């Protein structure tokens, strides 16, 4: 089992922002309107960092050719991307954001796992259903 990777304190990732983890492969963590999402940071169309892209709702637009990805599922929303990016589960424990790296290349929809953590003090279990935060409230 791969341990959870601590990212940063919850208050250090404001809404509309992203942080890049220098893992292999790199992972981007987004705060999208009060929900946290983690995806592989490299666009599946070409080698560009999604954490440098534009965030709108739960979609990120690649800064290179404007491919857009749904952060909830990793699925591309428009061309030129055709392949999804891998999603990762996010939890908040004692006010610290953690990423749990996926062991498969399948996107969240295929794995039936969630990738978002609500800022209201809950984490996502499977298929986007809120769960609970270990160690108390995240807010």
């Amino acid at each position: 089992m791969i341990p959870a990777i601590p990212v940063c304190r919850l208050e250090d990732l404001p809404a509309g922002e992203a942080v890049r983890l220098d893992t292999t492969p790199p992972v981007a963590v987004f705060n999208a309107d009060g929900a946290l999402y983690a995806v592989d940071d490299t666009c599946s169309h070409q080698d560009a960092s999604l954490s440098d892209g534009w965030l709108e709702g739960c979609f990120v637009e690649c800064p290179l050719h404007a491919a857009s990805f749904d952060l909830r599922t990793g699925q591309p929303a428009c061309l030129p991307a055709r392949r999804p990016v891998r999603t990762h589960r996010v939890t908040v424990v004692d006010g610290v954001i953690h990423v749990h790296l996926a062991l498969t290349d399948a996107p969240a929809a295929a794995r039936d796992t969630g990738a978002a953590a609500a800022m209201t003090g809950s984490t996502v279990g499977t298929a986007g259903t809120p769960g609970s935060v270990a160690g108390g409230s995240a807010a």
Side-chain angles (χ1 to χ4, degrees), residues 68-91:
S68 182
F69 296 90
D70 186 329
L71 295 172
R72 299 167 295 186
T73 64
Q75 292 296 323
C78 65
L79 295 173
R82 295 175 187 260
R83 292 184 327 268
V85 291
R86 185 173 52 166
T87 60
H88 306 279
R89 190 168 62 95
V90 176
T91 57

mmCIF file with all atom_site columns, all heavy atoms in Angstrom, residues 68-91:
data_model
loop_
_atom_site.group_PDB
_atom_site.id
_atom_site.type_symbol
_atom_site.label_atom_id
_atom_site.label_alt_id
_atom_site.label_comp_id
_atom_site.label_asym_id
_atom_site.label_entity_id
_atom_site.label_seq_id
_atom_site.pdbx_PDB_ins_code
_atom_site.Cartn_x
_atom_site.Cartn_y
_atom_site.Cartn_z
_atom_site.occupancy
_atom_site.B_iso_or_equiv
_atom_site.pdbx_formal_charge
_atom_site.auth_seq_id
_atom_site.auth_comp_id
_atom_site.auth_asym_id
_atom_site.auth_atom_id
_atom_site.pdbx_PDB_model_num
ATOM 1   N N   . SER A 1 68 ? -9.226  20.595 -22.247 1.00 0.00 ? 68 SER A N   1
ATOM 2   C CA  . SER A 1 68 ? -9.858  20.764 -20.941 1.00 0.00 ? 68 SER A CA  1
ATOM 3   C C   . SER A 1 68 ? -10.170 19.391 -20.356 1.00 0.00 ? 68 SER A C   1
ATOM 4   O O   . SER A 1 68 ? -10.574 18.480 -21.082 1.00 0.00 ? 68 SER A O   1
ATOM 5   C CB  . SER A 1 68 ? -11.144 21.580 -21.108 1.00 0.00 ? 68 SER A CB  1
ATOM 6   O OG  . SER A 1 68 ? -11.757 21.797 -19.871 1.00 0.00 ? 68 SER A OG  1
ATOM 7   N N   . PHE A 1 69 ? -9.983  19.269 -19.021 1.00 0.00 ? 69 PHE A N   1
ATOM 8   C CA  . PHE A 1 69 ? -10.213 18.002 -18.340 1.00 0.00 ? 69 PHE A CA  1
ATOM 9   C C   . PHE A 1 69 ? -11.149 18.204 -17.159 1.00 0.00 ? 69 PHE A C   1
ATOM 10  O O   . PHE A 1 69 ? -11.041 19.189 -16.432 1.00 0.00 ? 69 PHE A O   1
ATOM 11  C CB  . PHE A 1 69 ? -8.887  17.420 -17.824 1.00 0.00 ? 69 PHE A CB  1
ATOM 12  C CG  . PHE A 1 69 ? -7.931  17.070 -18.909 1.00 0.00 ? 69 PHE A CG  1
ATOM 13  C CD1 . PHE A 1 69 ? -7.020  18.010 -19.371 1.00 0.00 ? 69 PHE A CD1 1
ATOM 14  C CD2 . PHE A 1 69 ? -7.941  15.810 -19.489 1.00 0.00 ? 69 PHE A CD2 1
ATOM 15  C CE1 . PHE A 1 69 ? -6.130  17.702 -20.384 1.00 0.00 ? 69 PHE A CE1 1
ATOM 16  C CE2 . PHE A 1 69 ? -7.058  15.492 -20.501 1.00 0.00 ? 69 PHE A CE2 1
ATOM 17  C CZ  . PHE A 1 69 ? -6.150  16.444 -20.959 1.00 0.00 ? 69 PHE A CZ  1
ATOM 18  N N   . ASP A 1 70 ? -12.048 17.249 -16.967 1.00 0.00 ? 70 ASP A N   1
ATOM 19  C CA  . ASP A 1 70 ? -12.935 17.229 -15.806 1.00 0.00 ? 70 ASP A CA  1
ATOM 20  C C   . ASP A 1 70 ? -12.126 16.672 -14.640 1.00 0.00 ? 70 ASP A C   1
ATOM 21  O O   . ASP A 1 70 ? -11.683 15.523 -14.678 1.00 0.00 ? 70 ASP A O   1
ATOM 22  C CB  . ASP A 1 70 ? -14.147 16.348 -16.102 1.00 0.00 ? 70 ASP A CB  1
ATOM 23  C CG  . ASP A 1 70 ? -15.194 16.379 -15.002 1.00 0.00 ? 70 ASP A CG  1
ATOM 24  O OD1 . ASP A 1 70 ? -14.837 16.557 -13.820 1.00 0.00 ? 70 ASP A OD1 1
ATOM 25  O OD2 . ASP A 1 70 ? -16.376 16.213 -15.338 1.00 0.00 ? 70 ASP A OD2 1
ATOM 26  N N   . LEU A 1 71 ? -11.907 17.485 -13.620 1.00 0.00 ? 71 LEU A N   1
ATOM 27  C CA  . LEU A 1 71 ? -11.093 17.061 -12.484 1.00 0.00 ? 71 LEU A CA  1
ATOM 28  C C   . LEU A 1 71 ? -11.743 15.942 -11.680 1.00 0.00 ? 71 LEU A C   1
ATOM 29  O O   . LEU A 1 71 ? -11.060 15.214 -10.969 1.00 0.00 ? 71 LEU A O   1
ATOM 30  C CB  . LEU A 1 71 ? -10.806 18.253 -11.569 1.00 0.00 ? 71 LEU A CB  1
ATOM 31  C CG  . LEU A 1 71 ? -9.946  19.344 -12.193 1.00 0.00 ? 71 LEU A CG  1
ATOM 32  C CD1 . LEU A 1 71 ? -9.897  20.559 -11.282 1.00 0.00 ? 71 LEU A CD1 1
ATOM 33  C CD2 . LEU A 1 71 ? -8.546  18.827 -12.486 1.00 0.00 ? 71 LEU A CD2 1
ATOM 34  N N   . ARG A 1 72 ? -13.057 15.783 -11.787 1.00 0.00 ? 72 ARG A N   1
ATOM 35  C CA  . ARG A 1 72 ? -13.755 14.726 -11.047 1.00 0.00 ? 72 ARG A CA  1
ATOM 36  C C   . ARG A 1 72 ? -13.481 13.348 -11.626 1.00 0.00 ? 72 ARG A C   1
ATOM 37  O O   . ARG A 1 72 ? -13.451 12.357 -10.899 1.00 0.00 ? 72 ARG A O   1
ATOM 38  C CB  . ARG A 1 72 ? -15.264 14.991 -11.041 1.00 0.00 ? 72 ARG A CB  1
ATOM 39  C CG  . ARG A 1 72 ? -15.632 16.301 -10.357 1.00 0.00 ? 72 ARG A CG  1
ATOM 40  C CD  . ARG A 1 72 ? -17.050 16.671 -10.634 1.00 0.00 ? 72 ARG A CD  1
ATOM 41  N NE  . ARG A 1 72 ? -17.185 16.928 -12.081 1.00 0.00 ? 72 ARG A NE  1
ATOM 42  C CZ  . ARG A 1 72 ? -18.275 17.396 -12.660 1.00 0.00 ? 72 ARG A CZ  1
ATOM 43  N NH1 . ARG A 1 72 ? -19.337 17.648 -11.935 1.00 0.00 ? 72 ARG A NH1 1
ATOM 44  N NH2 . ARG A 1 72 ? -18.306 17.616 -13.957 1.00 0.00 ? 72 ARG A NH2 1
ATOM 45  N N   . THR A 1 73 ? -13.288 13.274 -12.937 1.00 0.00 ? 73 THR A N   1
ATOM 46  C CA  . THR A 1 73 ? -13.143 11.980 -13.607 1.00 0.00 ? 73 THR A CA  1
ATOM 47  C C   . THR A 1 73 ? -11.838 11.829 -14.375 1.00 0.00 ? 73 THR A C   1
ATOM 48  O O   . THR A 1 73 ? -11.462 10.713 -14.728 1.00 0.00 ? 73 THR A O   1
ATOM 49  C CB  . THR A 1 73 ? -14.287 11.760 -14.606 1.00 0.00 ? 73 THR A CB  1
ATOM 50  O OG1 . THR A 1 73 ? -14.190 12.755 -15.635 1.00 0.00 ? 73 THR A OG1 1
ATOM 51  C CG2 . THR A 1 73 ? -15.643 11.832 -13.912 1.00 0.00 ? 73 THR A CG2 1
ATOM 52  N N   . GLY A 1 74 ? -11.181 12.946 -14.687 1.00 0.00 ? 74 GLY A N   1
ATOM 53  C CA  . GLY A 1 74 ? -9.991  12.915 -15.516 1.00 0.00 ? 74 GLY A CA  1
ATOM 54  C C   . GLY A 1 74 ? -10.286 12.899 -17.004 1.00 0.00 ? 74 GLY A C   1
ATOM 55  O O   . GLY A 1 74 ? -9.376  12.971 -17.825 1.00 0.00 ? 74 GLY A O   1
ATOM 56  N N   . GLN A 1 75 ? -11.553 12.817 -17.376 1.00 0.00 ? 75 GLN A N   1
ATOM 57  C CA  . GLN A 1 75 ? -11.934 12.723 -18.789 1.00 0.00 ? 75 GLN A CA  1
ATOM 58  C C   . GLN A 1 75 ? -11.719 14.054 -19.510 1.00 0.00 ? 75 GLN A C   1
ATOM 59  O O   . GLN A 1 75 ? -12.010 15.115 -18.966 1.00 0.00 ? 75 GLN A O   1
ATOM 60  C CB  . GLN A 1 75 ? -13.409 12.322 -18.921 1.00 0.00 ? 75 GLN A CB  1
ATOM 61  C CG  . GLN A 1 75 ? -13.701 10.911 -18.460 1.00 0.00 ? 75 GLN A CG  1
ATOM 62  C CD  . GLN A 1 75 ? -13.001 9.870  -19.318 1.00 0.00 ? 75 GLN A CD  1
ATOM 63  O OE1 . GLN A 1 75 ? -12.871 10.003 -20.528 1.00 0.00 ? 75 GLN A OE1 1
ATOM 64  N NE2 . GLN A 1 75 ? -12.544 8.811  -18.661 1.00 0.00 ? 75 GLN A NE2 1
ATOM 65  N N   . PRO A 1 76 ? -11.227 13.999 -20.765 1.00 0.00 ? 76 PRO A N   1
ATOM 66  C CA  . PRO A 1 76 ? -11.100 15.233 -21.538 1.00 0.00 ? 76 PRO A CA  1
ATOM 67  C C   . PRO A 1 76 ? -12.486 15.755 -21.907 1.00 0.00 ? 76 PRO A C   1
ATOM 68  O O   . PRO A 1 76 ? -13.393 14.986 -22.221 1.00 0.00 ? 76 PRO A O   1
ATOM 69  C CB  . PRO A 1 76 ? -10.315 14.807 -22.779 1.00 0.00 ? 76 PRO A CB  1
ATOM 70  C CG  . PRO A 1 76 ? -10.530 13.338 -22.899 1.00 0.00 ? 76 PRO A CG  1
ATOM 71  C CD  . PRO A 1 76 ? -10.772 12.829 -21.506 1.00 0.00 ? 76 PRO A CD  1
ATOM 72  N N   . ALA A 1 77 ? -12.642 17.068 -21.854 1.00 0.00 ? 77 ALA A N   1
ATOM 73  C CA  . ALA A 1 77 ? -13.925 17.686 -22.185 1.00 0.00 ? 77 ALA A CA  1
ATOM 74  C C   . ALA A 1 77 ? -13.941 18.212 -23.618 1.00 0.00 ? 77 ALA A C   1
ATOM 75  O O   . ALA A 1 77 ? -15.008 18.540 -24.136 1.00 0.00 ? 77 ALA A O   1
ATOM 76  C CB  . ALA A 1 77 ? -14.228 18.824 -21.209 1.00 0.00 ? 77 ALA A CB  1
ATOM 77  N N   . CYS A 1 78 ? -12.770 18.328 -24.228 1.00 0.00 ? 78 CYS A N   1
ATOM 78  C CA  . CYS A 1 78 ? -12.703 18.822 -25.608 1.00 0.00 ? 78 CYS A CA  1
ATOM 79  C C   . CYS A 1 78 ? -11.369 18.426 -26.224 1.00 0.00 ? 78 CYS A C   1
ATOM 80  O O   . CYS A 1 78 ? -10.443 18.020 -25.522 1.00 0.00 ? 78 CYS A O   1
ATOM 81  C CB  . CYS A 1 78 ? -12.891 20.337 -25.645 1.00 0.00 ? 78 CYS A CB  1
ATOM 82  S SG  . CYS A 1 78 ? -11.579 21.251 -24.820 1.00 0.00 ? 78 CYS A SG  1
ATOM 83  N N   . LEU A 1 79 ? -11.302 18.567 -27.520 1.00 0.00 ? 79 LEU A N   1
ATOM 84  C CA  . LEU A 1 79 ? -10.058 18.321 -28.242 1.00 0.00 ? 79 LEU A CA  1
ATOM 85  C C   . LEU A 1 79 ? -9.091  19.460 -27.947 1.00 0.00 ? 79 LEU A C   1
ATOM 86  O O   . LEU A 1 79 ? -9.529  20.541 -27.565 1.00 0.00 ? 79 LEU A O   1
ATOM 87  C CB  . LEU A 1 79 ? -10.338 18.226 -29.734 1.00 0.00 ? 79 LEU A CB  1
ATOM 88  C CG  . LEU A 1 79 ? -11.219 17.040 -30.156 1.00 0.00 ? 79 LEU A CG  1
ATOM 89  C CD1 . LEU A 1 79 ? -11.559 17.141 -31.625 1.00 0.00 ? 79 LEU A CD1 1
ATOM 90  C CD2 . LEU A 1 79 ? -10.520 15.733 -29.839 1.00 0.00 ? 79 LEU A CD2 1
ATOM 91  N N   . PRO A 1 80 ? -7.817  19.274 -28.081 1.00 0.00 ? 80 PRO A N   1
ATOM 92  C CA  . PRO A 1 80 ? -7.176  18.167 -28.788 1.00 0.00 ? 80 PRO A CA  1
ATOM 93  C C   . PRO A 1 80 ? -6.932  16.917 -27.931 1.00 0.00 ? 80 PRO A C   1
ATOM 94  O O   . PRO A 1 80 ? -6.508  15.901 -28.463 1.00 0.00 ? 80 PRO A O   1
ATOM 95  C CB  . PRO A 1 80 ? -5.853  18.768 -29.259 1.00 0.00 ? 80 PRO A CB  1
ATOM 96  C CG  . PRO A 1 80 ? -5.520  19.787 -28.234 1.00 0.00 ? 80 PRO A CG  1
ATOM 97  C CD  . PRO A 1 80 ? -6.845  20.336 -27.777 1.00 0.00 ? 80 PRO A CD  1
ATOM 98  N N   . ALA A 1 81 ? -7.177  16.964 -26.625 1.00 0.00 ? 81 ALA A N   1
ATOM 99  C CA  . ALA A 1 81 ? -6.956  15.772 -25.794 1.00 0.00 ? 81 ALA A CA  1
ATOM 100 C C   . ALA A 1 81 ? -8.009  14.717 -26.099 1.00 0.00 ? 81 ALA A C   1
ATOM 101 O O   . ALA A 1 81 ? -9.190  15.033 -26.249 1.00 0.00 ? 81 ALA A O   1
ATOM 102 C CB  . ALA A 1 81 ? -6.993  16.137 -24.325 1.00 0.00 ? 81 ALA A CB  1
ATOM 103 N N   . ARG A 1 82 ? -7.574  13.481 -26.154 1.00 0.00 ? 82 ARG A N   1
ATOM 104 C CA  . ARG A 1 82 ? -8.483  12.353 -26.387 1.00 0.00 ? 82 ARG A CA  1
ATOM 105 C C   . ARG A 1 82 ? -8.423  11.342 -25.250 1.00 0.00 ? 82 ARG A C   1
ATOM 106 O O   . ARG A 1 82 ? -9.350  10.586 -25.045 1.00 0.00 ? 82 ARG A O   1
ATOM 107 C CB  . ARG A 1 82 ? -8.151  11.658 -27.700 1.00 0.00 ? 82 ARG A CB  1
ATOM 108 C CG  . ARG A 1 82 ? -8.374  12.541 -28.905 1.00 0.00 ? 82 ARG A CG  1
ATOM 109 C CD  . ARG A 1 82 ? -7.918  11.834 -30.169 1.00 0.00 ? 82 ARG A CD  1
ATOM 110 N NE  . ARG A 1 82 ? -7.981  12.714 -31.304 1.00 0.00 ? 82 ARG A NE  1
ATOM 111 C CZ  . ARG A 1 82 ? -8.969  12.706 -32.190 1.00 0.00 ? 82 ARG A CZ  1
ATOM 112 N NH1 . ARG A 1 82 ? -9.955  11.862 -32.058 1.00 0.00 ? 82 ARG A NH1 1
ATOM 113 N NH2 . ARG A 1 82 ? -8.952  13.541 -33.201 1.00 0.00 ? 82 ARG A NH2 1
ATOM 114 N N   . ARG A 1 83 ? -7.292  11.319 -24.530 1.00 0.00 ? 83 ARG A N   1
ATOM 115 C CA  . ARG A 1 83 ? -7.111  10.364 -23.437 1.00 0.00 ? 83 ARG A CA  1
ATOM 116 C C   . ARG A 1 83 ? -7.296  11.063 -22.095 1.00 0.00 ? 83 ARG A C   1
ATOM 117 O O   . ARG A 1 83 ? -6.888  12.206 -21.922 1.00 0.00 ? 83 ARG A O   1
ATOM 118 C CB  . ARG A 1 83 ? -5.710  9.749  -23.509 1.00 0.00 ? 83 ARG A CB  1
ATOM 119 C CG  . ARG A 1 83 ? -5.503  8.854  -24.709 1.00 0.00 ? 83 ARG A CG  1
ATOM 120 C CD  . ARG A 1 83 ? -4.120  8.177  -24.707 1.00 0.00 ? 83 ARG A CD  1
ATOM 121 N NE  . ARG A 1 83 ? -3.055  8.984  -24.115 1.00 0.00 ? 83 ARG A NE  1
ATOM 122 C CZ  . ARG A 1 83 ? -2.262  9.810  -24.795 1.00 0.00 ? 83 ARG A CZ  1
ATOM 123 N NH1 . ARG A 1 83 ? -2.429  9.960  -26.092 1.00 0.00 ? 83 ARG A NH1 1
ATOM 124 N NH2 . ARG A 1 83 ? -1.316  10.495 -24.179 1.00 0.00 ? 83 ARG A NH2 1
ATOM 125 N N   . PRO A 1 84 ? -7.868  10.377 -21.123 1.00 0.00 ? 84 PRO A N   1
ATOM 126 C CA  . PRO A 1 84 ? -8.044  10.982 -19.794 1.00 0.00 ? 84 PRO A CA  1
ATOM 127 C C   . PRO A 1 84 ? -6.718  11.069 -19.046 1.00 0.00 ? 84 PRO A C   1
ATOM 128 O O   . PRO A 1 84 ? -5.740  10.417 -19.411 1.00 0.00 ? 84 PRO A O   1
ATOM 129 C CB  . PRO A 1 84 ? -8.997  10.010 -19.086 1.00 0.00 ? 84 PRO A CB  1
ATOM 130 C CG  . PRO A 1 84 ? -8.774  8.707  -19.775 1.00 0.00 ? 84 PRO A CG  1
ATOM 131 C CD  . PRO A 1 84 ? -8.418  9.026  -21.200 1.00 0.00 ? 84 PRO A CD  1
ATOM 132 N N   . VAL A 1 85 ? -6.704  11.886 -18.012 1.00 0.00 ? 85 VAL A N   1
ATOM 133 C CA  . VAL A 1 85 ? -5.585  11.913 -17.073 1.00 0.00 ? 85 VAL A CA  1
ATOM 134 C C   . VAL A 1 85 ? -6.020  11.120 -15.844 1.00 0.00 ? 85 VAL A C   1
ATOM 135 O O   . VAL A 1 85 ? -7.202  11.043 -15.526 1.00 0.00 ? 85 VAL A O   1
ATOM 136 C CB  . VAL A 1 85 ? -5.181  13.354 -16.690 1.00 0.00 ? 85 VAL A CB  1
ATOM 137 C CG1 . VAL A 1 85 ? -4.561  14.062 -17.869 1.00 0.00 ? 85 VAL A CG1 1
ATOM 138 C CG2 . VAL A 1 85 ? -6.331  14.137 -16.119 1.00 0.00 ? 85 VAL A CG2 1
ATOM 139 N N   . ARG A 1 86 ? -5.064  10.527 -15.173 1.00 0.00 ? 86 ARG A N   1
ATOM 140 C CA  . ARG A 1 86 ? -5.349  9.713  -13.993 1.00 0.00 ? 86 ARG A CA  1
ATOM 141 C C   . ARG A 1 86 ? -5.731  10.620 -12.826 1.00 0.00 ? 86 ARG A C   1
ATOM 142 O O   . ARG A 1 86 ? -5.140  11.668 -12.611 1.00 0.00 ? 86 ARG A O   1
ATOM 143 C CB  . ARG A 1 86 ? -4.128  8.873  -13.644 1.00 0.00 ? 86 ARG A CB  1
ATOM 144 C CG  . ARG A 1 86 ? -4.340  7.911  -12.504 1.00 0.00 ? 86 ARG A CG  1
ATOM 145 C CD  . ARG A 1 86 ? -3.164  7.001  -12.333 1.00 0.00 ? 86 ARG A CD  1
ATOM 146 N NE  . ARG A 1 86 ? -1.922  7.770  -12.232 1.00 0.00 ? 86 ARG A NE  1
ATOM 147 C CZ  . ARG A 1 86 ? -0.779  7.253  -11.807 1.00 0.00 ? 86 ARG A CZ  1
ATOM 148 N NH1 . ARG A 1 86 ? -0.711  5.980  -11.457 1.00 0.00 ? 86 ARG A NH1 1
ATOM 149 N NH2 . ARG A 1 86 ? 0.297   7.995  -11.729 1.00 0.00 ? 86 ARG A NH2 1
ATOM 150 N N   . THR A 1 87 ? -6.724  10.207 -12.064 1.00 0.00 ? 87 THR A N   1
ATOM 151 C CA  . THR A 1 87 ? -7.152  10.936 -10.874 1.00 0.00 ? 87 THR A CA  1
ATOM 152 C C   . THR A 1 87 ? -6.658  10.213 -9.628  1.00 0.00 ? 87 THR A C   1
ATOM 153 O O   . THR A 1 87 ? -6.376  9.010  -9.661  1.00 0.00 ? 87 THR A O   1
ATOM 154 C CB  . THR A 1 87 ? -8.689  11.065 -10.814 1.00 0.00 ? 87 THR A CB  1
ATOM 155 O OG1 . THR A 1 87 ? -9.260  9.760  -10.790 1.00 0.00 ? 87 THR A OG1 1
ATOM 156 C CG2 . THR A 1 87 ? -9.225  11.856 -11.994 1.00 0.00 ? 87 THR A CG2 1
ATOM 157 N N   . HIS A 1 88 ? -6.557  10.979 -8.520  1.00 0.00 ? 88 HIS A N   1
ATOM 158 C CA  . HIS A 1 88 ? -6.075  10.435 -7.258  1.00 0.00 ? 88 HIS A CA  1
ATOM 159 C C   . HIS A 1 88 ? -7.008  10.881 -6.139  1.00 0.00 ? 88 HIS A C   1
ATOM 160 O O   . HIS A 1 88 ? -7.548  11.989 -6.181  1.00 0.00 ? 88 HIS A O   1
ATOM 161 C CB  . HIS A 1 88 ? -4.657  10.930 -6.968  1.00 0.00 ? 88 HIS A CB  1
ATOM 162 C CG  . HIS A 1 88 ? -3.710  10.657 -8.090  1.00 0.00 ? 88 HIS A CG  1
ATOM 163 N ND1 . HIS A 1 88 ? -3.100  9.431  -8.279  1.00 0.00 ? 88 HIS A ND1 1
ATOM 164 C CD2 . HIS A 1 88 ? -3.298  11.445 -9.116  1.00 0.00 ? 88 HIS A CD2 1
ATOM 165 C CE1 . HIS A 1 88 ? -2.345  9.485  -9.358  1.00 0.00 ? 88 HIS A CE1 1
ATOM 166 N NE2 . HIS A 1 88 ? -2.444  10.692 -9.878  1.00 0.00 ? 88 HIS A NE2 1
ATOM 167 N N   . ARG A 1 89 ? -7.160  10.030 -5.148  1.00 0.00 ? 89 ARG A N   1
ATOM 168 C CA  . ARG A 1 89 ? -8.010  10.353 -4.001  1.00 0.00 ? 89 ARG A CA  1
ATOM 169 C C   . ARG A 1 89 ? -7.339  11.405 -3.135  1.00 0.00 ? 89 ARG A C   1
ATOM 170 O O   . ARG A 1 89 ? -6.121  11.397 -2.949  1.00 0.00 ? 89 ARG A O   1
ATOM 171 C CB  . ARG A 1 89 ? -8.286  9.085  -3.190  1.00 0.00 ? 89 ARG A CB  1
ATOM 172 C CG  . ARG A 1 89 ? -9.353  9.258  -2.127  1.00 0.00 ? 89 ARG A CG  1
ATOM 173 C CD  . ARG A 1 89 ? -9.781  7.915  -1.562  1.00 0.00 ? 89 ARG A CD  1
ATOM 174 N NE  . ARG A 1 89 ? -8.701  7.211  -0.915  1.00 0.00 ? 89 ARG A NE  1
ATOM 175 C CZ  . ARG A 1 89 ? -8.455  7.256  0.392   1.00 0.00 ? 89 ARG A CZ  1
ATOM 176 N NH1 . ARG A 1 89 ? -9.234  7.968  1.189   1.00 0.00 ? 89 ARG A NH1 1
ATOM 177 N NH2 . ARG A 1 89 ? -7.453  6.587  0.903   1.00 0.00 ? 89 ARG A NH2 1
ATOM 178 N N   . VAL A 1 90 ? -8.154  12.332 -2.613  1.00 0.00 ? 90 VAL A N   1
ATOM 179 C CA  . VAL A 1 90 ? -7.670  13.410 -1.747  1.00 0.00 ? 90 VAL A CA  1
ATOM 180 C C   . VAL A 1 90 ? -8.389  13.317 -0.410  1.00 0.00 ? 90 VAL A C   1
ATOM 181 O O   . VAL A 1 90 ? -9.596  13.111 -0.362  1.00 0.00 ? 90 VAL A O   1
ATOM 182 C CB  . VAL A 1 90 ? -7.952  14.789 -2.380  1.00 0.00 ? 90 VAL A CB  1
ATOM 183 C CG1 . VAL A 1 90 ? -7.541  15.907 -1.455  1.00 0.00 ? 90 VAL A CG1 1
ATOM 184 C CG2 . VAL A 1 90 ? -7.261  14.921 -3.724  1.00 0.00 ? 90 VAL A CG2 1
ATOM 185 N N   . THR A 1 91 ? -7.633  13.458 0.673   1.00 0.00 ? 91 THR A N   1
ATOM 186 C CA  . THR A 1 91 ? -8.222  13.530 2.008   1.00 0.00 ? 91 THR A CA  1
ATOM 187 C C   . THR A 1 91 ? -7.625  14.719 2.746   1.00 0.00 ? 91 THR A C   1
ATOM 188 O O   . THR A 1 91 ? -6.568  15.223 2.371   1.00 0.00 ? 91 THR A O   1
ATOM 189 C CB  . THR A 1 91 ? -7.969  12.237 2.831   1.00 0.00 ? 91 THR A CB  1
ATOM 190 O OG1 . THR A 1 91 ? -6.561  12.009 2.921   1.00 0.00 ? 91 THR A OG1 1
ATOM 191 C CG2 . THR A 1 91 ? -8.669  11.034 2.216   1.00 0.00 ? 91 THR A CG2 1
#
